[in-house]
Amino acid sequence: MKSLLAVAIIILSLPLIGCQVSQHKQTSDKDKSSISEPIHKGVYFWGHEVSSYQPCGEGLTYWVTATPASDELNQLSLTLSEARNAPYQPIYIEAEIHSIDRNSHPAFSDGFAADYDAIIEISNVYMKLTELPSSCELK
């Protein structure tokens, strides 16, 4: 009788175990797809006539177009500038960044962006720090 009860419990619990494995697999697949773009590490600057990003360890500087992610960084930069009584406060970021084609953006040929190596947009910010880590050197 006890063995029949044990078999019944095992049979009834198999669908529940299958659901748990299936849910875990779905979460795992979702996590993988959310990190499809490489994460870029660098420093963001914002202020009067400046909206730029410089990757750690590189000598290039990019003009940053306006996006909701850069708007949040602008607000943080403004807050830091007011607190430190100095403009153009650096913000270390780890973010998803996309290049903008030079020919498709009018600011690249005329305006402040023309003085930069390229134009980018920041679509997602995964980390932002108000102090630069020693691992991020600017050239």
Side-chain angles (χ1 to χ4, degrees):
M1 183 76 167
K2 287 183 182 181
S3 63
L4 184 59
L5 182 60
V7 171
I9 290 173
I10 291 172
I11 291 173
L12 292 174
S13 64
L14 285 177
L16 296 176
I17 293 170
C19 289
Q20 290 174 344
V21 171
S22 175
Q23 288 173 351
H24 177 69
K25 183 178 179 188
Q26 289 173 354
T27 302
S28 178
D29 290 345
K30 182 179 177 184
D31 290 343
K32 288 178 187 174
S33 67
S34 68
I35 307 176
S36 61
E37 294 292 325
I39 296 175
H40 299 271
K41 300 174 183 181
V43 181
Y44 179 79
F45 294 92
W46 181 81
H48 181 68
E49 300 176 353
V50 173
S51 180
S52 67
Y53 171 80
Q54 186 174 356
C56 297
E58 292 185 24
L60 301 174
T61 303
Y62 304 106
W63 178 261
V64 179
T65 61
T67 63
S70 65
D71 290 345
E72 286 182 32
L73 293 171
N74 296 351
Q75 187 58 47
L76 177 58
S77 179
L78 179 61
T79 301
L80 288 172
S81 294
E82 291 170 351
R84 296 175 179 171
N85 200 26
Y88 312 107
Q89 291 297 306
I91 301 169
Y92 171 81
I93 62 171
E94 294 183 6
E96 184 178 326
I97 292 174
H98 303 277
S99 297
I100 305 284
D101 179 26
R102 293 175 168 220
N103 299 322
S104 69
H105 201 288
F108 198 78
S109 60
D110 184 33
F112 302 116
D115 295 332
Y116 290 81
D117 295 305
I119 300 175
I120 62 166
E121 67 179 18
I122 299 171
S123 56
N124 291 308
V125 177
Y126 301 109
M127 177 187 287
K128 54 189 166 193
L129 302 173
T130 58
E131 298 294 328
L132 301 183
S134 60
S135 62
C136 183
E137 295 180 25
L138 299 180
K139 294 183 177 185

